[in-house]
Short mmCIF file of all heavy atoms in Angstrom, two decimals:
data_model
loop_
_atom_site.label_atom_id
_atom_site.label_comp_id
_atom_site.label_asym_id
_atom_site.label_seq_id
_atom_site.Cartn_x
_atom_site.Cartn_y
_atom_site.Cartn_z
N ILE A 130 14.97 -3.17 80.16
CA ILE A 130 15.34 -4.49 80.66
C ILE A 130 14.21 -5.42 80.62
O ILE A 130 14.33 -6.62 80.10
CB ILE A 130 15.98 -4.42 82.02
CG1 ILE A 130 17.24 -3.61 82.08
CG2 ILE A 130 16.36 -5.80 82.51
CD1 ILE A 130 17.83 -3.28 83.39
N LYS A 131 13.09 -5.05 81.12
CA LYS A 131 11.92 -5.89 81.14
C LYS A 131 11.41 -6.25 79.76
O LYS A 131 11.05 -7.35 79.50
CB LYS A 131 10.73 -5.19 81.96
CG LYS A 131 11.01 -5.02 83.38
CD LYS A 131 10.99 -6.29 84.22
CE LYS A 131 9.60 -6.76 84.41
NZ LYS A 131 9.54 -7.97 85.28
N ASP A 132 11.44 -5.28 78.94
CA ASP A 132 10.99 -5.55 77.50
C ASP A 132 11.98 -6.50 76.80
O ASP A 132 11.50 -7.41 76.06
CB ASP A 132 10.96 -4.19 76.68
CG ASP A 132 9.82 -3.33 77.06
OD1 ASP A 132 8.88 -3.81 77.69
OD2 ASP A 132 9.82 -2.19 76.66
N ALA A 133 13.22 -6.37 77.12
CA ALA A 133 14.24 -7.27 76.48
C ALA A 133 14.05 -8.70 77.03
O ALA A 133 14.08 -9.66 76.21
CB ALA A 133 15.70 -6.87 76.72
N ILE A 134 13.77 -8.85 78.26
CA ILE A 134 13.53 -10.18 78.84
C ILE A 134 12.35 -10.82 78.27
O ILE A 134 12.29 -11.99 77.85
CB ILE A 134 13.42 -10.05 80.40
CG1 ILE A 134 14.84 -9.62 81.02
CG2 ILE A 134 12.94 -11.38 81.03
CD1 ILE A 134 14.64 -9.42 82.49
N ARG A 135 11.29 -10.06 78.03
CA ARG A 135 9.97 -10.47 77.58
C ARG A 135 10.22 -10.96 76.08
O ARG A 135 9.76 -12.10 75.77
CB ARG A 135 8.90 -9.44 77.63
CG ARG A 135 7.60 -9.92 77.08
CD ARG A 135 6.61 -8.77 77.04
NE ARG A 135 7.06 -7.64 76.23
CZ ARG A 135 6.82 -7.68 74.90
NH1 ARG A 135 6.28 -8.69 74.31
NH2 ARG A 135 7.24 -6.58 74.13
N GLU A 136 10.82 -10.18 75.29
CA GLU A 136 11.08 -10.47 73.84
C GLU A 136 11.91 -11.74 73.77
O GLU A 136 11.65 -12.58 72.87
CB GLU A 136 11.77 -9.26 73.09
CG GLU A 136 10.87 -8.09 72.89
CD GLU A 136 11.51 -6.90 72.26
OE1 GLU A 136 12.68 -7.14 71.83
OE2 GLU A 136 10.99 -5.82 72.24
N ASN A 137 12.97 -11.88 74.51
CA ASN A 137 13.83 -13.09 74.48
C ASN A 137 13.05 -14.29 74.99
O ASN A 137 13.19 -15.38 74.35
CB ASN A 137 15.07 -12.83 75.31
CG ASN A 137 16.03 -11.81 74.77
OD1 ASN A 137 15.86 -11.41 73.59
ND2 ASN A 137 16.87 -11.29 75.61
N ARG A 138 12.21 -14.11 75.94
CA ARG A 138 11.45 -15.24 76.47
C ARG A 138 10.48 -15.74 75.43
O ARG A 138 10.27 -16.89 75.21
CB ARG A 138 10.66 -14.82 77.64
CG ARG A 138 10.00 -15.93 78.40
CD ARG A 138 8.99 -15.50 79.47
NE ARG A 138 7.86 -14.88 78.83
CZ ARG A 138 7.34 -13.65 79.18
NH1 ARG A 138 7.91 -12.99 80.20
NH2 ARG A 138 6.30 -13.09 78.66
N LEU A 139 9.85 -14.80 74.64
CA LEU A 139 8.94 -15.20 73.53
C LEU A 139 9.63 -16.08 72.49
O LEU A 139 9.07 -17.07 71.95
CB LEU A 139 8.35 -13.96 72.89
CG LEU A 139 7.36 -13.14 73.77
CD1 LEU A 139 6.89 -11.88 73.10
CD2 LEU A 139 6.14 -14.00 74.19
N VAL A 140 10.87 -15.74 72.12
CA VAL A 140 11.59 -16.58 71.17
C VAL A 140 11.77 -17.96 71.65
O VAL A 140 11.56 -18.95 70.93
CB VAL A 140 12.96 -15.94 70.80
CG1 VAL A 140 13.75 -16.85 69.89
CG2 VAL A 140 12.81 -14.59 70.18
N ILE A 141 12.16 -18.06 73.03
CA ILE A 141 12.42 -19.39 73.49
C ILE A 141 11.12 -20.17 73.66
O ILE A 141 11.04 -21.36 73.49
CB ILE A 141 13.10 -19.26 74.92
CG1 ILE A 141 14.39 -18.49 74.71
CG2 ILE A 141 13.35 -20.58 75.62
CD1 ILE A 141 15.13 -18.10 76.06
N GLU A 142 10.02 -19.47 74.02
CA GLU A 142 8.68 -20.04 74.12
C GLU A 142 8.28 -20.68 72.84
O GLU A 142 7.56 -21.72 72.78
CB GLU A 142 7.71 -19.05 74.67
CG GLU A 142 7.81 -18.78 76.11
CD GLU A 142 6.76 -17.78 76.65
OE1 GLU A 142 6.17 -17.13 75.78
OE2 GLU A 142 6.61 -17.68 77.78
N GLU A 143 8.59 -20.00 71.71
CA GLU A 143 8.24 -20.48 70.41
C GLU A 143 9.04 -21.77 70.10
O GLU A 143 8.47 -22.74 69.55
CB GLU A 143 8.62 -19.44 69.26
CG GLU A 143 7.69 -18.22 69.27
CD GLU A 143 8.05 -17.23 68.24
OE1 GLU A 143 8.98 -17.52 67.44
OE2 GLU A 143 7.42 -16.16 68.19
N ILE A 144 10.31 -21.86 70.52
CA ILE A 144 11.02 -23.07 70.33
C ILE A 144 10.47 -24.21 71.12
O ILE A 144 10.29 -25.30 70.63
CB ILE A 144 12.54 -22.81 70.76
CG1 ILE A 144 13.29 -21.80 69.84
CG2 ILE A 144 13.31 -24.20 70.77
CD1 ILE A 144 14.67 -21.42 70.31
N PHE A 145 10.02 -23.86 72.35
CA PHE A 145 9.49 -24.84 73.24
C PHE A 145 8.13 -25.33 72.64
O PHE A 145 7.83 -26.51 72.60
CB PHE A 145 9.31 -24.23 74.59
CG PHE A 145 8.66 -25.20 75.54
CD1 PHE A 145 9.41 -26.28 76.10
CD2 PHE A 145 7.27 -25.23 75.93
CE1 PHE A 145 8.87 -27.16 77.05
CE2 PHE A 145 6.79 -26.02 76.75
CZ PHE A 145 7.51 -27.05 77.37
N ALA A 146 7.29 -24.41 72.14
CA ALA A 146 6.04 -24.73 71.53
C ALA A 146 6.18 -25.67 70.28
O ALA A 146 5.42 -26.59 70.10
CB ALA A 146 5.25 -23.53 71.14
N ASP A 147 7.22 -25.40 69.48
CA ASP A 147 7.52 -26.23 68.33
C ASP A 147 7.84 -27.72 68.77
O ASP A 147 7.40 -28.61 68.14
CB ASP A 147 8.65 -25.73 67.57
CG ASP A 147 8.32 -24.45 66.78
OD1 ASP A 147 7.08 -24.16 66.59
OD2 ASP A 147 9.23 -23.70 66.38
N GLY A 148 8.56 -27.79 69.83
CA GLY A 148 8.89 -29.13 70.38
C GLY A 148 7.77 -29.85 70.92
O GLY A 148 7.63 -31.10 70.73
N VAL A 149 6.74 -29.14 71.57
CA VAL A 149 5.51 -29.80 72.06
C VAL A 149 4.73 -30.23 70.79
O VAL A 149 4.19 -31.27 70.70
CB VAL A 149 4.73 -28.83 72.85
CG1 VAL A 149 3.46 -29.42 73.29
CG2 VAL A 149 5.57 -28.53 74.14
N LYS A 150 4.66 -29.39 69.74
CA LYS A 150 3.89 -29.71 68.62
C LYS A 150 4.40 -30.88 67.88
O LYS A 150 3.59 -31.67 67.32
CB LYS A 150 3.91 -28.38 67.65
CG LYS A 150 2.98 -28.49 66.48
CD LYS A 150 3.00 -27.19 65.61
CE LYS A 150 2.14 -27.34 64.35
NZ LYS A 150 2.13 -26.04 63.62
#
Side-chain angles (χ1 to χ4, degrees):
I130 297 173
K131 293 290 285 186
D132 286 347
I134 291 173
R135 182 184 61 81
E136 289 178 10
N137 292 341
R138 189 192 68 227
L139 289 174
V140 175
I141 301 170
E142 285 179 349
E143 287 179 8
I144 294 172
F145 181 76
D147 288 342
V149 173
K150 185 177 180 180

